[in-house]
Amino acid sequence: MWATVALAAGCATSTIASVLPQARTAAQLPLRVFDKTPGGMSIASLPRATPNVVRVALYIDAGSRDAAIPETATLSAWLAAQSINPAIEATVYPDATELVLSCSTKALPACVEQLARALAFRNPEPDAVTEARTRLRDGQRRALAQEPLAPLDQLALRSLLGDAAAGFFPLGTLDSDLSAAGEAVPQFLEHHYGPLRALLVAAGDVEPGALRDLAQMHFVRAPNAVLSRTTRNLV
């Protein structure tokens, strides 16, 4: 009798296991997968055991050091993100720009499509530029209130690097010419935003092959940057 019960229990367990979905564990996932689209755009997939959650980031190899006025890079990223989806988080560094969206696995195609449109963005509306300049000036004031000694850091770096030091501060300074920075946005986008100067990264519940197909489908429509990545020196 016990053998019969044990056999029945084993059959029941086997049946349940075959019906229930099998969760992906971290041990079953590749740590990272690097790839490129047929058009040459770089992609990185970071599969993780986070069911139905994906964080997608687009890295552009242009930052505040690439702009004649550092704030132009920040305004460009903000305007590109805001024009497509206000949920896109745009962050500018001295040598790179990051556009990020968090989404469900089902919404991944829409997220990739929106980031591709942001990369292809070129001509902001005048009212949008005005709003972005106001936001940037407010950001400069808040940053100064939080770090009142920051101007001393800027002066110290300027003493070492000269005028090139300004590029290490994407928010710029309160005495900067934001009107000129805003006028330079279309040219900055044209010169630096393009698939061959970008890296698409998806971390979470993502299949590398599916990400590659989505990137090829959507980023092929984005124009390439006019300029290639420049060689960067410290000074």
Side-chain angles (χ1 to χ4, degrees), residues 90-179:
T91 306
V92 176
Y93 304 95
D95 292 317
T97 295
E98 178 188 56
L99 305 178
V100 178
L101 267 176
S102 294
C103 58
S104 65
T105 303
K106 184 178 180 179
L108 180 60
C111 287
V112 172
E113 187 264 344
Q114 289 172 8
L115 290 175
R117 288 169 56 201
L119 188 68
F121 181 73
R122 292 293 183 267
N123 296 303
E125 295 293 333
D127 289 346
V129 175
T130 299
E131 292 176 4
R133 290 203 312 258
T134 300
R135 174 186 171 189
L136 180 54
R137 190 65 86 195
D138 289 343
Q140 291 172 340
R141 294 190 179 100
R142 287 195 300 270
L144 183 59
Q146 294 173 358
E147 297 288 344
L149 298 181
L152 297 180
D153 294 334
Q154 295 176 359
L155 287 173
L157 196 59
R158 183 177 290 275
S159 69
L160 292 173
L161 305 180
D163 292 340
F168 287 90
F169 300 94
L171 284 180
T173 59
L174 282 171
D175 61 354
S176 59
D177 187 351
L178 293 189
S179 294

